[in-house]
């Protein structure tokens, strides 16, 4: 990859100024891999896209280009404030991309300060106790539908597991958590995003007031008490980031992995008989169908040449984790370990909760398959619908059937 700051050294490649691929349509959601292949054939490692009507961006679909951009914060900032000046307040994707004082949207000293607070608070989560917490959450959920012989995994299991587990980690009361989750879902769907954003931030402000008055052994209290002395606005925005990363992607990863287990001959049955593990299926999904298909947004500080493409200053550059992981340049046998994927990002902004996220998803899937080992998809895979949106890879529903069974005996969180 070449990176050059001299705008006279190379032309814009043919076709770049033509129609942009819309990432917000149902057509793209139905088959993003086909769209990525077409973009790669036409444009190479960087392609022109629209995130919403009239909102241009560049999608990085080449693995090596993505890794170098993500490791170059001096020329590619995560701070969107210059971009925001040209984006209307009502733009549906703005709440997902606009600046907040948290580690995702900052650089330099601010990023070091914010990330130390987040990593410190998350690093004290007891992963052994988290195993027990997930079982206590999963068991009563499974008991609500195991006698029915059918369920929608998205709405009846994956979402409530992700929601309740994050609330337990944050020490968030259920009523505040429900408002936060509702707001976060609206932001991801880019439908009613502005109202969803206000609902989310209001709920989290209440959570902070609760923890200032009565701290406990949880992530929110540790953020409140961290030596970096985050103010209330910073605390709200740090918690908003944890909700964004902790519910929607977790839900999607549970569902996408279960879909693979139920429909792919390499995994169907083999996870249950032990020849392949849930972790094998998870790695496959993180490589091919990650829960966040396109994100890790960067903004060139000035016009810059990358792989013979001129990137305008301050215009979003998104990393397509789904496309980069499937780039033929790295899927030729030279990368054999599926954990080389970019699903958790890389570089200074890589996800600090990777191990915890994998534990939550793996435990949630194992609990469900252990309880209902004969689960099967109740409709043809090609009839499943994917939620449109430029960022996530998320099914509308995942209907399954299984033999009716008695409730599981054991303690649960009610």
């Amino acid at each position: 990859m070449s990176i050059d700051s001299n705008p006279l050294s190379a032309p814009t490649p043919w076709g770049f100024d033509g129609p942009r691929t819309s990432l917000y349509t149902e057509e793209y959601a139905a088959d993003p891999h086909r769209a990525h292949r077409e973009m790669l054939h036409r444009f190479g490692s960087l392609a022109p896209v629209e995130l919403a009507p009239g909102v241009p961006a560049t999608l990085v679909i080449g693995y090596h280009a993505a890794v170098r951009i993500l490791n170059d914060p001096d020329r590619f900032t995560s701070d969107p404030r210059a971009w925001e000046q040209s984006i209307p307040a009502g733009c549906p994707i703005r709440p997902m991309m606009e600046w907040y004082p948290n580690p995702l949207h900052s650089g330099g000293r601010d990023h070091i300060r914010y990330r130390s607070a987040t990593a410190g608070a998350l690093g004290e989560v007891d992963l052994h106790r988290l195993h027990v917490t997930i079982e206590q959450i999963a068991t009563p959920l499974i008991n609500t539908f195991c006698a029915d012989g059918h369920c929608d995994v998205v709405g009846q299991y994956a979402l409530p597991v992700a929601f309740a587990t994050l609330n337990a980690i944050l020490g968030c009361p259920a009523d505040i958590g429900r408002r936060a989750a509702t707001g976060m879902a609206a932001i991801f769907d880019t439908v009613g995003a502005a109202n969803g954003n206000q609902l989310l931030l209001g709920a989290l402000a209440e959570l902070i007031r609760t923890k200032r008055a009565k701290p406990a052994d949880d992530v929110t209290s540790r953020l409140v008490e961290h030596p970096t002395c985050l103010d209330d606005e910073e605390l709200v925005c740090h918690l908003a980031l944890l909700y964004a990363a902790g519910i929607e992607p977790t839900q999607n990863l549970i569902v996408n992995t279960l879909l693979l287990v139920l429909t792919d001959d390499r995994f169907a049955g083999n996870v249950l008989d032990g020849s392949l593990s849930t972790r094998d299926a998870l790695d496959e999904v993180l490589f091919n169908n990650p829960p966040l298909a396109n994100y890790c947004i960067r903004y060139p500080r000035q016009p810059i040449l990358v792989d013979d493409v001129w990137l305008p200053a301050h215009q979003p550059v998104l990393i397509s984790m789904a496309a980069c992981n499937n780039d033929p340049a790295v899927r030729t046998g030279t990368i054999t370990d599926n954990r080389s994927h970019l699903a958790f990002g890389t570089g200074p902004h890589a996800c600090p909760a990777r191990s915890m996220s994998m534990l939550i998803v793996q435990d949630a899937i194992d609990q469900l398959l252990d309880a209902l080992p004969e689960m099967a998809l109740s409709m043809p895979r090609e009839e499943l619908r994917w939620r449109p949106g430029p960022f996530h890879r998320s099914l509308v529903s995942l209907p399954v059937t299984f033999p009716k069974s008695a409730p599981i005996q054991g303690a649960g969180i009610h």
Side-chain angles (χ1 to χ4, degrees), residues 141-142 144-145 148 150-161:
L141 280 172
I142 295 169
T144 64
F145 54 74
D148 297 335
H150 61 86
C151 80
D152 168 26
V153 173
V154 174
Q156 293 180 259
Y157 187 71
L159 174 57
V161 163

Side-chain angles (χ1 to χ4, degrees), residues 30 48 86 93 109 113 129 136 142 148 156 217 223 233 332 365-366 379:
S86 63
I93 60 165
R109 293 181 180 178
R113 175 172 172 257
R129 190 168 69 184
Q136 292 174 331
I142 295 169
D148 297 335
Q156 293 180 259
D217 182 16
L223 282 173
E233 180 188 11
T332 59
I365 294 170
D366 286 342
M379 64 187 297

Side-chain angles (χ1 to χ4, degrees), residues 4-5 7 16 20 56-58 75-77 79-87 298-306 309-317:
D4 190 338
S5 60
F16 197 88
R20 293 175 175 266
T58 300
R75 285 183 281 196
F76 293 91
T77 179
D79 189 328
R81 281 177 284 188
W83 169 79
E84 283 180 37
Q85 296 176 16
S86 63
I87 301 299
R298 301 293 183 268
Y299 304 84
R301 296 180 186 271
Q302 61 187 29
I304 190 167
L305 180 68
V306 178
V309 173
W310 278 110
L311 300 176
H314 313 306
Q315 188 181 96
V317 176

Side-chain angles (χ1 to χ4, degrees), residues 47-94:
V49 297
E50 271 196 336
L51 304 180
V55 181
T58 300
L59 190 68
V60 182
I61 53 181
Y63 183 94
H64 294 302
V67 169
R68 295 185 187 184
I69 288 171
L70 293 175
N71 282 284
D72 191 0
D74 291 336
R75 285 183 281 196
F76 293 91
T77 179
S78 298
D79 189 328
R81 281 177 284 188
W83 169 79
E84 283 180 37
Q85 296 176 16
S86 63
I87 301 299
C91 178
I93 60 165
R94 179 164 175 155

